[in-house]
Amino acid sequence: MDISMTKCIRELNRNRNTEEMLAEYVKQGRNYYGSHACYKLALEYYMFYENISEEAGPLDGDEEKILGDINSIISRFFNENLNKEECICLAEGLLELRKGITGRMQVISAYIDCFSVYEYILNRLEYRFIEMGDMPDDTSFTEEVVNFIFSNNDNAAINEKVRFVMGQLPMRMLRSKYFDVIKESVSIYKGSDLNSLEGFEYMFRTNAMLYKDENMDIYFTRFKKPLEELKNAAFENVDRKQYKVYNDITDDSTYELLKLSDLYILFGEIVNLLYTVVSVAAYTKEEDRAADKTLGVAATIIKGINELFTGKKTDIWKLSDTPLENKEDMLSWLSGLIDELEGKQETISEILDMAEAALPQVNEVHGKTIENLGLSEDFALLSRLSLLNSNSTFAELGIGGGNSAGTVEVTQDMADEVSGRLISEVKALFKDTSRILRRAIMANTLEKIPVFFNTPQEVSDYIYASLSQCDDEAEKYASKEIIRDEMEEYKAFQK
């Protein structure tokens, strides 16, 4: 552990040398975020180049432009001696770029959720056209699944298994009960922060095919036609030929969307890291900025990959002891440099974990002193960098580094408003939706919401009722097969 950061936190917790320690906390935190992001950027940027050049193939115009913007910012930052104002300008440009990437990712996610509903339907139609094997009867299968769910005492694991099983069972829940479940799920958020409730509402909308965004009329509109074709399909009376057409549409669209999702996640991660590096440089003293920016080997890798992307000539390759004749040689040389970064991220991550854990309390306890010292902007930056350093690539960034809605507590009226709105929209959707599609939407959402069972017996009763009330043998067989495959995979993993 780093003694300076440890001392800062210890002294701040004891209210000793507060002014000195707050300034040191900012300096240490900023330096560690910058170094960690630079090391990680070197690795991510290298792997991104490999992915683009070897697997992804040519990019579409929109993605090509995003990549061009990223490469241009990297080239300018790492090859020019920028002042504070220029770094701030680059950081603001990165936030705009991030906003565009996030908007596109939301559209991709919404489309994936829509096609997953049709995948659910088609999976349950499959055994109308191929031979079914042997499966346990409903009673035996229910017992098998319940034993699987409660095979350990880990509540988180139990809930995860319950949600999965609910999402795969034949959906025979009454609509009135389904609406009650929606209301109960929303009510759980009473007393929590508004940001959490908004996240639930967004998740529910995408999984219920309710998500509407103006960006869907701008980005990836090529998926509208296949989605409309599936929406108008008469699945109840589909024949083998139609089934294959619809299955191919769903598979092809899902495959393309997942590739796009992987690409935009990489875009988001690189932009987050680059924003961290540039922002830290902007708020670091000019005499220290060059040292932070170069970071030796990491900077060399970043510059090298940037040249491979852009074709701009620099002197970076002269650092090699042997002549580099082509791109393969250059990439191989950069690969060797990556070994020198081993362990650096992990060491810094331990320090950042400690600093991030202390940050909320430092802000709360010493808020007035932070303001008086003129460090409010610095601590806002640390909060923002903490979000960017999280596992949520597309975390919302508000003023001061967080979503301001997160400070608002959900009241009963707020919960009632959200549940009422969702139920009203679902009812309207169901009016114009076939029974088989309604059931798929219900299953897709129930798999994502909080578990509403109180006892193992309630879980058992639900599973048996879902199976016994299903008179479509193909649907029942497919559901059992999917659940059984998951149980076997889980057991194999446990070994």
Side-chain angles (χ1 to χ4, degrees):
M1 289 288 183
D2 182 82
I3 298 299
S4 296
M5 181 57 77
T6 304
K7 181 178 179 180
C8 282
I9 295 172
R10 184 173 62 246
E11 294 291 279
L12 288 171
N13 286 339
R14 296 173 178 175
N15 287 316
R16 296 196 311 210
N17 304 314
T18 302
E19 294 186 2
E20 178 186 351
M21 291 300 106
L22 286 172
E24 189 64 22
Y25 180 92
V26 166
K27 179 182 176 181
Q28 293 287 333
R30 205 164 45 201
N31 288 343
Y32 282 121
Y33 274 120
S35 298
H36 182 267
C38 196
Y39 290 132
K40 192 172 182 181
L41 178 60
L43 298 174
E44 295 285 343
Y45 198 35
Y46 177 91
M47 290 188 291
F48 185 52
Y49 178 80
E50 281 196 320
N51 178 272
I52 293 295
S53 59
E54 297 177 8
E55 299 176 20
L59 299 178
D60 288 346
D62 208 22
E63 286 78 49
E64 188 70 45
K65 183 180 184 309
I66 292 172
L67 178 57
D69 290 341
I70 291 172
N71 287 332
S72 176
I73 292 171
I74 288 177
S75 178
R76 189 175 176 208
F77 178 77
F78 281 91
N79 292 301
E80 299 178 21
N81 187 25
L82 304 181
N83 59 34
K84 178 178 180 178
E85 289 70 26
E86 289 170 325
C87 287
I88 291 174
C89 185
L90 275 189
E92 290 174 349
L94 283 164
L95 286 182
E96 279 301 308
L97 186 57
R98 185 179 188 273
K99 182 179 178 182
I101 292 170
T102 301
R104 288 167 175 82
M105 189 64 197
Q106 287 176 335
V107 173
I108 292 170
S109 298
Y111 273 123
I112 289 174
D113 287 333
C114 287
F115 282 106
S116 70
V117 171
Y118 292 107
E119 183 180 20
Y120 174 96
I121 293 172
L122 291 162
N123 283 342
R124 281 144 187 79
L125 296 177
E126 180 181 11
Y127 284 98
R128 291 185 185 180
F129 312 111
I130 61 176
E131 185 178 351
M132 290 181 277
D134 295 326
M135 277 288 174
D137 60 36
D138 296 346
T139 301
S140 299
F141 190 78
T142 298
E143 183 178 352
E144 186 179 335
V145 175
V146 171
N147 288 338
F148 160 71
I149 290 172
F150 296 99
S151 59
N152 57 47
N153 296 321
D154 185 341
N155 287 333
I158 290 171
N159 288 339
E160 184 178 348
K161 293 176 188 175
V162 169
R163 285 195 295 269
F164 170 77
V165 170
M166 287 182 62
Q168 302 306 323
L169 286 168
M171 178 50 57
R172 294 300 183 268
M173 181 183 287
L174 294 174
R175 274 186 270 180
S176 58
K177 171 62 176 175
Y178 175 65
F179 297 142
D180 287 341
V181 170
I182 295 174
K183 188 171 184 178
E184 290 171 14
S185 298
V186 174
S187 69
I188 291 174
Y189 290 89
K190 180 185 174 183
S192 66
D193 63 84
L194 183 56
N195 192 37
S196 298
L197 178 57
E198 289 174 345
F200 171 85
E201 185 174 7
Y202 168 76
M203 177 279 300
F204 186 92
R205 286 182 180 284
T206 59
N207 285 278
M209 301 174 70
L210 291 172
Y211 179 77
K212 297 292 186 293
D213 191 295
E214 61 183 11
N215 287 332
M216 296 188 81
D217 294 323
I218 303 172
Y219 307 134
F220 314 113
T221 54
R222 61 187 179 277
F223 294 104
K224 279 190 171 185
K225 184 177 179 181
L227 201 57
E228 192 66 24
E229 187 171 352
L230 292 170
K231 183 179 180 181
N232 295 326
F235 287 112
E236 286 85 350
N237 303 312
V238 71
D239 59 24
R240 183 187 296 269
K241 183 178 179 181
Q242 290 171 320
Y243 169 82
K244 186 177 185 315
V245 170
Y246 296 143
N247 197 56
D248 287 346
I249 288 173
T250 303
D251 285 349
D252 292 346
S253 298
T254 301
Y255 175 76
E256 187 178 351
L257 283 163
L258 289 174
K259 283 183 65 178
L260 282 169
S261 175
D262 290 342
L263 177 62
Y264 274 87
I265 288 172
L266 287 171
F267 279 151
E269 289 174 348
I270 288 175
V271 167
N272 285 350
L273 294 168
L274 189 53
Y275 176 84
T276 298
V277 172
V278 173
S279 295
V280 166
Y283 291 94
T284 302
K285 290 181 179 180
E286 191 155 358
E287 58 267 25
D288 300 327
R289 195 156 59 235
D292 286 343
K293 189 169 67 174
T294 52
L295 276 174
V297 174
T300 299
I301 295 169
I302 294 167
K303 290 179 182 181
I305 293 297
N306 187 256
E307 181 171 323
L308 290 175
F309 264 127
T310 64
K312 293 180 180 179
K313 300 298 181 183
T314 68
D315 294 333
I316 197 72
W317 310 114
K318 292 181 179 179
L319 296 174
S320 171
D321 294 332
T322 58
L324 304 174
E325 311 235 342
N326 50 49
K327 286 187 176 182
E328 288 72 23
D329 289 346
M330 295 171 180
L331 198 61
S332 177
W333 178 65
L334 294 175
S335 175
L337 295 180
I338 287 178
D339 294 339
E340 298 183 32
L341 302 184
E342 187 175 354
K344 292 185 180 294
Q345 283 188 70
E346 291 75 12
T347 301
I348 298 176
S349 289
E350 292 180 11
I351 300 169
L352 284 178
D353 287 345
M354 177 180 60
E356 288 179 348
L359 184 57
Q361 184 176 357
V362 171
N363 270 315
E364 182 178 350
V365 174
H366 303 289
K368 190 65 178 176
T369 307
I370 289 171
E371 185 178 347
N372 292 338
L373 292 173
L375 294 176
S376 297
E377 189 175 355
D378 297 276
F379 272 89
L381 175 64
L382 291 181
S383 296
R384 190 155 56 248
L385 298 184
S386 176
L387 280 174
L388 290 170
N389 191 47
S390 70
N391 292 325
S392 180
T393 304
F394 302 100
E396 185 176 350
L397 306 180
I399 297 174
N403 184 353
S404 59
T407 62
V408 178
E409 186 176 294
V410 176
T411 64
Q412 185 63 56
D413 288 343
M414 290 177 183
D416 290 343
E417 181 182 352
V418 170
S419 61
R421 182 165 59 240
L422 291 176
I423 290 170
S424 176
E425 291 181 26
V426 171
K427 286 181 177 178
L429 175 67
F430 283 0
K431 283 183 181 179
D432 301 319
T433 304
S434 65
R435 181 180 63 177
I436 196 168
L437 182 53
R438 285 199 304 269
R439 288 174 173 174
I441 291 171
M442 291 166 70
N444 200 42
T445 51
L446 287 180
E447 186 177 355
K448 310 297 191 306
I449 65 179
V451 173
F452 51 87
F453 301 111
N454 295 314
T455 67
Q457 187 60 48
E458 288 183 14
V459 175
S460 178
D461 292 344
Y462 180 88
I463 295 171
Y464 181 76
S466 296
L467 294 170
S468 62
Q469 292 171 20
C470 177
D471 55 8
D472 185 330
E473 291 303 317
E475 179 185 4
K476 184 186 293 190
Y477 183 90
S479 295
K480 287 181 176 180
E481 183 180 59
I482 293 170
I483 294 170
R484 174 166 269 191
D485 286 348
E486 177 68 17
M487 291 192 298
E488 291 301 323
E489 187 175 330
Y490 181 86
K491 290 173 185 175
F493 179 77
Q494 293 302 305
K495 292 179 180 178

